[in-house]
Amino acid sequence: MPFLLPSVFFADKDECPARDGSLPGFLCVGSVDGSRRDYDQLIDAGILLTERGFSGRYRVSVACSSSETDYYRTFRDNLSRYSLEGDVVVYENLPFRDLFALARETPYQLFLLNKRSRWNLKYLAEKITGGINISFGFGIVPVLEDVFARRWGVEDLSLVYDGTEGLVGAIEAVVENPSLFIPNRDRIFAANERLVAESETSLASVL
């Protein structure tokens, strides 16, 4: 299992009150270049959610760098083509203060890690994505493909799914009951406090 780095610099629990869930929100942080995250899956899920009457009932906030790649342009074009721009909102080049403010407002974090990527599976066998630190630091419930939730040992803290249909089902479950997985938040903060304490003990032993 990769080493889970605790989040020691983001937010205090009291600064992250339980969200009211009026519009279920999902935060996705990372480059839109097709190398690690499967944004095609997000488009496919958005199309299915629209067909099933869920458009306007959830929001995915994508925080990323602007890019001139074909993949990024295609992603933006598809948001427009399939009328998903109201459900999937792209924030380019956010400064950390604005990103952290967005994290405080968002109850769920969508990772979109591509489990079909051999590079991903090899890289993430020994490392974590920085998004885990955001989840732990702000008490945001991770929404993760099953293989990564198991690998990092966070199944009990996460909303776990398998494939595009599983992602659609996960979003539908949150829309139908926005507070369903919010109790995971206290377990996330508790896990983070434990990891911080373990890190402090480890550092003290070598200093």
Side-chain angles (χ1 to χ4, degrees):
M1 173 180 167
F3 176 68
L4 286 179
L5 178 67
S7 303
V8 298
F9 54 88
F10 287 128
D12 184 86
K13 181 177 179 180
D14 293 336
E15 296 176 341
C16 300
R19 293 81 173 179
D20 61 15
S22 56
L23 180 64
F26 301 81
L27 175 63
C28 185
V29 182
S31 300
V32 184
D33 58 13
S35 63
R36 290 178 61 185
R37 291 173 180 80
D38 190 357
Y39 286 94
D40 295 332
Q41 184 184 68
L42 179 60
I43 296 292
D44 291 341
I47 292 170
L48 290 173
L49 287 163
T50 297
E51 291 175 352
R52 299 177 187 180
F54 284 87
S55 182
R57 300 177 62 191
Y58 70 97
R59 174 168 294 173
V60 177
S61 299
V62 177
C64 64
S65 301
S66 58
S67 172
E68 297 300 323
T69 64
D70 290 339
Y71 188 91
Y72 183 73
R73 285 193 291 268
T74 298
F75 172 67
R76 297 299 299 261
D77 288 345
N78 283 336
L79 290 179
S80 176
R81 178 177 297 115
Y82 297 109
S83 301
L84 297 174
E85 292 174 309
D87 297 321
V88 180
V89 180
V90 178
Y91 296 89
E92 293 183 345
N93 306 318
L94 283 180
F96 281 118
R97 179 165 54 186
D98 293 341
L99 173 61
F100 293 165
L102 188 60
R104 288 188 180 93
E105 299 171 356
T106 310
Y108 297 93
Q109 185 169 1
L110 183 60
F111 285 77
L112 291 178
L113 293 168
N114 189 346
K115 68 178 182 180
R116 298 186 303 277
S117 165
R118 292 182 180 179
W119 184 89
N120 245 4
L121 294 175
K122 180 179 179 180
Y123 177 82
L124 295 174
E126 299 176 351
K127 300 176 177 65
I128 64 168
T129 173
I132 285 289
N133 290 324
I134 293 177
S135 282
F136 274 45
F138 289 101
I140 306 175
V141 178
V143 183
L144 273 170
E145 286 262 17
D146 49 3
V147 63
F148 299 110
R150 287 196 302 270
R151 178 165 293 172
W152 296 332
V154 294
E155 303 101 313
D156 61 329
L157 307 176
S158 306
L159 173 50
V160 180
Y161 68 92
D162 178 20
T164 301
E165 281 289 347
L167 174 58
V168 171
I171 294 176
E172 288 179 349
V174 170
V175 171
E176 296 291 358
N177 189 350
S179 299
L180 183 62
F181 295 91
I182 295 302
N184 288 24
R185 172 180 173 272
D186 289 336
R187 293 196 291 272
I188 292 168
F189 276 121
N192 190 61
E193 290 172 2
R194 173 178 56 79
L195 289 167
V196 169
E198 290 175 359
S199 296
E200 291 174 344
T201 300
S202 297
L203 285 172
S205 69
V206 298
L207 293 179

PDB file of all heavy atoms in Angstrom, residues 96-117:
ATOM      1  N   PHE A  96      -4.368  28.891  -5.165  1.00  0.00           N
ATOM      2  CA  PHE A  96      -4.658  27.952  -4.085  1.00  0.00           C
ATOM      3  C   PHE A  96      -5.773  28.462  -3.176  1.00  0.00           C
ATOM      4  O   PHE A  96      -6.607  27.674  -2.709  1.00  0.00           O
ATOM      5  CB  PHE A  96      -3.394  27.676  -3.268  1.00  0.00           C
ATOM      6  CG  PHE A  96      -2.459  26.709  -3.924  1.00  0.00           C
ATOM      7  CD1 PHE A  96      -1.190  27.105  -4.288  1.00  0.00           C
ATOM      8  CD2 PHE A  96      -2.853  25.408  -4.194  1.00  0.00           C
ATOM      9  CE1 PHE A  96      -0.315  26.213  -4.903  1.00  0.00           C
ATOM     10  CE2 PHE A  96      -1.992  24.505  -4.808  1.00  0.00           C
ATOM     11  CZ  PHE A  96      -0.719  24.916  -5.167  1.00  0.00           C
ATOM     12  N   ARG A  97      -5.808  29.742  -2.892  1.00  0.00           N
ATOM     13  CA  ARG A  97      -6.845  30.264  -2.000  1.00  0.00           C
ATOM     14  C   ARG A  97      -8.231  29.979  -2.557  1.00  0.00           C
ATOM     15  O   ARG A  97      -9.135  29.561  -1.813  1.00  0.00           O
ATOM     16  CB  ARG A  97      -6.664  31.769  -1.796  1.00  0.00           C
ATOM     17  CG  ARG A  97      -7.741  32.382  -0.892  1.00  0.00           C
ATOM     18  CD  ARG A  97      -7.356  33.761  -0.423  1.00  0.00           C
ATOM     19  NE  ARG A  97      -7.025  34.650  -1.530  1.00  0.00           N
ATOM     20  CZ  ARG A  97      -6.549  35.880  -1.377  1.00  0.00           C
ATOM     21  NH1 ARG A  97      -6.356  36.368  -0.167  1.00  0.00           N
ATOM     22  NH2 ARG A  97      -6.262  36.635  -2.419  1.00  0.00           N
ATOM     23  N   ASP A  98      -8.418  30.174  -3.856  1.00  0.00           N
ATOM     24  CA  ASP A  98      -9.722  29.926  -4.467  1.00  0.00           C
ATOM     25  C   ASP A  98     -10.022  28.432  -4.556  1.00  0.00           C
ATOM     26  O   ASP A  98     -11.171  28.005  -4.393  1.00  0.00           O
ATOM     27  CB  ASP A  98      -9.787  30.562  -5.855  1.00  0.00           C
ATOM     28  CG  ASP A  98      -9.739  32.082  -5.802  1.00  0.00           C
ATOM     29  OD1 ASP A  98     -10.019  32.645  -4.732  1.00  0.00           O
ATOM     30  OD2 ASP A  98      -9.414  32.699  -6.837  1.00  0.00           O
ATOM     31  N   LEU A  99      -8.994  27.644  -4.825  1.00  0.00           N
ATOM     32  CA  LEU A  99      -9.183  26.192  -4.858  1.00  0.00           C
ATOM     33  C   LEU A  99      -9.607  25.678  -3.490  1.00  0.00           C
ATOM     34  O   LEU A  99     -10.537  24.871  -3.370  1.00  0.00           O
ATOM     35  CB  LEU A  99      -7.893  25.503  -5.296  1.00  0.00           C
ATOM     36  CG  LEU A  99      -7.890  23.964  -5.214  1.00  0.00           C
ATOM     37  CD1 LEU A  99      -8.973  23.360  -6.113  1.00  0.00           C
ATOM     38  CD2 LEU A  99      -6.519  23.410  -5.590  1.00  0.00           C
ATOM     39  N   PHE A 100      -8.951  26.158  -2.430  1.00  0.00           N
ATOM     40  CA  PHE A 100      -9.294  25.700  -1.092  1.00  0.00           C
ATOM     41  C   PHE A 100     -10.688  26.181  -0.687  1.00  0.00           C
ATOM     42  O   PHE A 100     -11.414  25.485   0.023  1.00  0.00           O
ATOM     43  CB  PHE A 100      -8.249  26.180  -0.084  1.00  0.00           C
ATOM     44  CG  PHE A 100      -6.889  25.558  -0.282  1.00  0.00           C
ATOM     45  CD1 PHE A 100      -5.776  26.106   0.332  1.00  0.00           C
ATOM     46  CD2 PHE A 100      -6.719  24.440  -1.081  1.00  0.00           C
ATOM     47  CE1 PHE A 100      -4.513  25.537   0.161  1.00  0.00           C
ATOM     48  CE2 PHE A 100      -5.468  23.866  -1.263  1.00  0.00           C
ATOM     49  CZ  PHE A 100      -4.363  24.420  -0.643  1.00  0.00           C
ATOM     50  N   ALA A 101     -11.074  27.377  -1.129  1.00  0.00           N
ATOM     51  CA  ALA A 101     -12.435  27.858  -0.853  1.00  0.00           C
ATOM     52  C   ALA A 101     -13.457  26.953  -1.534  1.00  0.00           C
ATOM     53  O   ALA A 101     -14.506  26.635  -0.963  1.00  0.00           O
ATOM     54  CB  ALA A 101     -12.589  29.300  -1.337  1.00  0.00           C
ATOM     55  N   LEU A 102     -13.154  26.547  -2.760  1.00  0.00           N
ATOM     56  CA  LEU A 102     -14.045  25.632  -3.481  1.00  0.00           C
ATOM     57  C   LEU A 102     -14.117  24.288  -2.764  1.00  0.00           C
ATOM     58  O   LEU A 102     -15.194  23.686  -2.654  1.00  0.00           O
ATOM     59  CB  LEU A 102     -13.543  25.454  -4.915  1.00  0.00           C
ATOM     60  CG  LEU A 102     -14.429  24.684  -5.889  1.00  0.00           C
ATOM     61  CD1 LEU A 102     -15.783  25.359  -6.059  1.00  0.00           C
ATOM     62  CD2 LEU A 102     -13.728  24.550  -7.248  1.00  0.00           C
ATOM     63  N   ALA A 103     -12.982  23.829  -2.233  1.00  0.00           N
ATOM     64  CA  ALA A 103     -12.960  22.553  -1.514  1.00  0.00           C
ATOM     65  C   ALA A 103     -13.820  22.615  -0.253  1.00  0.00           C
ATOM     66  O   ALA A 103     -14.491  21.635   0.099  1.00  0.00           O
ATOM     67  CB  ALA A 103     -11.520  22.187  -1.156  1.00  0.00           C
ATOM     68  N   ARG A 104     -13.816  23.763   0.422  1.00  0.00           N
ATOM     69  CA  ARG A 104     -14.623  23.892   1.642  1.00  0.00           C
ATOM     70  C   ARG A 104     -16.113  23.802   1.339  1.00  0.00           C
ATOM     71  O   ARG A 104     -16.907  23.469   2.205  1.00  0.00           O
ATOM     72  CB  ARG A 104     -14.311  25.214   2.335  1.00  0.00           C
ATOM     73  CG  ARG A 104     -12.956  25.273   3.010  1.00  0.00           C
ATOM     74  CD  ARG A 104     -12.801  26.542   3.827  1.00  0.00           C
ATOM     75  NE  ARG A 104     -11.498  26.588   4.471  1.00  0.00           N
ATOM     76  CZ  ARG A 104     -10.433  27.179   3.948  1.00  0.00           C
ATOM     77  NH1 ARG A 104     -10.538  27.792   2.775  1.00  0.00           N
ATOM     78  NH2 ARG A 104      -9.281  27.170   4.588  1.00  0.00           N
ATOM     79  N   GLU A 105     -16.499  24.127   0.107  1.00  0.00           N
ATOM     80  CA  GLU A 105     -17.920  24.164  -0.257  1.00  0.00           C
ATOM     81  C   GLU A 105     -18.410  22.859  -0.874  1.00  0.00           C
ATOM     82  O   GLU A 105     -19.605  22.717  -1.128  1.00  0.00           O
ATOM     83  CB  GLU A 105     -18.158  25.296  -1.267  1.00  0.00           C
ATOM     84  CG  GLU A 105     -17.818  26.685  -0.768  1.00  0.00           C
ATOM     85  CD  GLU A 105     -17.862  27.714  -1.871  1.00  0.00           C
ATOM     86  OE1 GLU A 105     -18.091  27.316  -3.037  1.00  0.00           O
ATOM     87  OE2 GLU A 105     -17.656  28.904  -1.578  1.00  0.00           O
ATOM     88  N   THR A 106     -17.503  21.924  -1.135  1.00  0.00           N
ATOM     89  CA  THR A 106     -17.845  20.749  -1.933  1.00  0.00           C
ATOM     90  C   THR A 106     -17.787  19.484  -1.098  1.00  0.00           C
ATOM     91  O   THR A 106     -16.735  19.178  -0.520  1.00  0.00           O
ATOM     92  CB  THR A 106     -16.885  20.628  -3.132  1.00  0.00           C
ATOM     93  OG1 THR A 106     -16.822  21.878  -3.819  1.00  0.00           O
ATOM     94  CG2 THR A 106     -17.374  19.557  -4.102  1.00  0.00           C
ATOM     95  N   PRO A 107     -18.868  18.716  -1.022  1.00  0.00           N
ATOM     96  CA  PRO A 107     -18.883  17.548  -0.133  1.00  0.00           C
ATOM     97  C   PRO A 107     -18.215  16.297  -0.693  1.00  0.00           C
ATOM     98  O   PRO A 107     -17.851  15.410   0.062  1.00  0.00           O
ATOM     99  CB  PRO A 107     -20.380  17.307   0.092  1.00  0.00           C
ATOM    100  CG  PRO A 107     -21.043  17.880  -1.110  1.00  0.00           C
ATOM    101  CD  PRO A 107     -20.204  19.035  -1.551  1.00  0.00           C
ATOM    102  N   TYR A 108     -18.080  16.206  -2.019  1.00  0.00           N
ATOM    103  CA  TYR A 108     -17.549  14.982  -2.628  1.00  0.00           C
ATOM    104  C   TYR A 108     -16.414  15.316  -3.586  1.00  0.00           C
ATOM    105  O   TYR A 108     -16.451  16.339  -4.276  1.00  0.00           O
ATOM    106  CB  TYR A 108     -18.649  14.223  -3.387  1.00  0.00           C
ATOM    107  CG  TYR A 108     -19.766  13.755  -2.491  1.00  0.00           C
ATOM    108  CD1 TYR A 108     -20.901  14.539  -2.306  1.00  0.00           C
ATOM    109  CD2 TYR A 108     -19.681  12.547  -1.806  1.00  0.00           C
ATOM    110  CE1 TYR A 108     -21.927  14.128  -1.461  1.00  0.00           C
ATOM    111  CE2 TYR A 108     -20.699  12.129  -0.970  1.00  0.00           C
ATOM    112  CZ  TYR A 108     -21.821  12.923  -0.808  1.00  0.00           C
ATOM    113  OH  TYR A 108     -22.823  12.515   0.029  1.00  0.00           O
ATOM    114  N   GLN A 109     -15.402  14.441  -3.618  1.00  0.00           N
ATOM    115  CA  GLN A 109     -14.290  14.632  -4.552  1.00  0.00           C
ATOM    116  C   GLN A 109     -14.243  13.482  -5.542  1.00  0.00           C
ATOM    117  O   GLN A 109     -14.143  12.311  -5.170  1.00  0.00           O
ATOM    118  CB  GLN A 109     -12.950  14.736  -3.826  1.00  0.00           C
ATOM    119  CG  GLN A 109     -11.814  15.062  -4.787  1.00  0.00           C
ATOM    120  CD  GLN A 109     -10.534  15.419  -4.076  1.00  0.00           C
ATOM    121  OE1 GLN A 109     -10.470  15.416  -2.861  1.00  0.00           O
ATOM    122  NE2 GLN A 109      -9.509  15.728  -4.843  1.00  0.00           N
ATOM    123  N   LEU A 110     -14.294  13.842  -6.811  1.00  0.00           N
ATOM    124  CA  LEU A 110     -14.301  12.873  -7.903  1.00  0.00           C
ATOM    125  C   LEU A 110     -12.888  12.779  -8.471  1.00  0.00           C
ATOM    126  O   LEU A 110     -12.339  13.775  -8.941  1.00  0.00           O
ATOM    127  CB  LEU A 110     -15.302  13.342  -8.964  1.00  0.00           C
ATOM    128  CG  LEU A 110     -15.546  12.451 -10.174  1.00  0.00           C
ATOM    129  CD1 LEU A 110     -16.064  11.096  -9.747  1.00  0.00           C
ATOM    130  CD2 LEU A 110     -16.557  13.135 -11.105  1.00  0.00           C
ATOM    131  N   PHE A 111     -12.304  11.592  -8.457  1.00  0.00           N
ATOM    132  CA  PHE A 111     -10.906  11.446  -8.869  1.00  0.00           C
ATOM    133  C   PHE A 111     -10.754  11.111 -10.350  1.00  0.00           C
ATOM    134  O   PHE A 111      -9.775  11.512 -10.976  1.00  0.00           O
ATOM    135  CB  PHE A 111     -10.225  10.377  -8.011  1.00  0.00           C
ATOM    136  CG  PHE A 111      -9.922  10.846  -6.623  1.00  0.00           C
ATOM    137  CD1 PHE A 111     -10.919  10.933  -5.672  1.00  0.00           C
ATOM    138  CD2 PHE A 111      -8.642  11.231  -6.271  1.00  0.00           C
ATOM    139  CE1 PHE A 111     -10.645  11.379  -4.387  1.00  0.00           C
ATOM    140  CE2 PHE A 111      -8.358  11.678  -4.991  1.00  0.00           C
ATOM    141  CZ  PHE A 111      -9.363  11.748  -4.042  1.00  0.00           C
ATOM    142  N   LEU A 112     -11.662  10.355 -10.908  1.00  0.00           N
ATOM    143  CA  LEU A 112     -11.648  10.011 -12.338  1.00  0.00           C
ATOM    144  C   LEU A 112     -10.346   9.345 -12.783  1.00  0.00           C
ATOM    145  O   LEU A 112      -9.976   9.422 -13.962  1.00  0.00           O
ATOM    146  CB  LEU A 112     -11.901  11.246 -13.208  1.00  0.00           C
ATOM    147  CG  LEU A 112     -13.301  11.859 -13.155  1.00  0.00           C
ATOM    148  CD1 LEU A 112     -13.355  13.109 -14.047  1.00  0.00           C
ATOM    149  CD2 LEU A 112     -14.368  10.863 -13.591  1.00  0.00           C
ATOM    150  N   LEU A 113      -9.649   8.680 -11.876  1.00  0.00           N
ATOM    151  CA  LEU A 113      -8.405   8.022 -12.255  1.00  0.00           C
ATOM    152  C   LEU A 113      -8.686   6.867 -13.212  1.00  0.00           C
ATOM    153  O   LEU A 113      -9.605   6.072 -13.003  1.00  0.00           O
ATOM    154  CB  LEU A 113      -7.683   7.514 -11.007  1.00  0.00           C
ATOM    155  CG  LEU A 113      -7.168   8.620 -10.080  1.00  0.00           C
ATOM    156  CD1 LEU A 113      -6.735   8.028  -8.749  1.00  0.00           C
ATOM    157  CD2 LEU A 113      -6.034   9.384 -10.731  1.00  0.00           C
ATOM    158  N   ASN A 114      -7.918   6.799 -14.271  1.00  0.00           N
ATOM    159  CA  ASN A 114      -8.138   5.816 -15.328  1.00  0.00           C
ATOM    160  C   ASN A 114      -7.487   4.488 -14.944  1.00  0.00           C
ATOM    161  O   ASN A 114      -6.268   4.355 -14.995  1.00  0.00           O
ATOM    162  CB  ASN A 114      -7.558   6.344 -16.634  1.00  0.00           C
ATOM    163  CG  ASN A 114      -7.937   5.479 -17.823  1.00  0.00           C
ATOM    164  OD1 ASN A 114      -8.406   4.350 -17.659  1.00  0.00           O
ATOM    165  ND2 ASN A 114      -7.734   5.992 -19.011  1.00  0.00           N
ATOM    166  N   LYS A 115      -8.295   3.511 -14.565  1.00  0.00           N
ATOM    167  CA  LYS A 115      -7.718   2.238 -14.135  1.00  0.00           C
ATOM    168  C   LYS A 115      -7.321   1.356 -15.313  1.00  0.00           C
ATOM    169  O   LYS A 115      -6.748   0.286 -15.126  1.00  0.00           O
ATOM    170  CB  LYS A 115      -8.688   1.501 -13.210  1.00  0.00           C
ATOM    171  CG  LYS A 115      -9.959   0.994 -13.854  1.00  0.00           C
ATOM    172  CD  LYS A 115     -10.789   0.250 -12.810  1.00  0.00           C
ATOM    173  CE  LYS A 115     -12.066  -0.330 -13.380  1.00  0.00           C
ATOM    174  NZ  LYS A 115     -12.848  -1.044 -12.348  1.00  0.00           N
ATOM    175  N   ARG A 116      -7.603   1.810 -16.545  1.00  0.00           N
ATOM    176  CA  ARG A 116      -7.136   1.077 -17.724  1.00  0.00           C
ATOM    177  C   ARG A 116      -5.730   1.505 -18.137  1.00  0.00           C
ATOM    178  O   ARG A 116      -5.124   0.900 -19.013  1.00  0.00           O
ATOM    179  CB  ARG A 116      -8.096   1.291 -18.896  1.00  0.00           C
ATOM    180  CG  ARG A 116      -9.503   0.793 -18.655  1.00  0.00           C
ATOM    181  CD  ARG A 116     -10.357   0.909 -19.904  1.00  0.00           C
ATOM    182  NE  ARG A 116     -10.411   2.280 -20.397  1.00  0.00           N
ATOM    183  CZ  ARG A 116     -11.251   3.203 -19.930  1.00  0.00           C
ATOM    184  NH1 ARG A 116     -12.078   2.889 -18.937  1.00  0.00           N
ATOM    185  NH2 ARG A 116     -11.260   4.422 -20.430  1.00  0.00           N
ATOM    186  N   SER A 117      -5.223   2.557 -17.498  1.00  0.00           N
ATOM    187  CA  SER A 117      -3.898   3.074 -17.832  1.00  0.00           C
ATOM    188  C   SER A 117      -2.828   2.253 -17.121  1.00  0.00           C
ATOM    189  O   SER A 117      -2.782   2.221 -15.889  1.00  0.00           O
ATOM    190  CB  SER A 117      -3.792   4.546 -17.423  1.00  0.00           C
ATOM    191  OG  SER A 117      -2.445   4.973 -17.421  1.00  0.00           O
TER     192      SER A 117
END
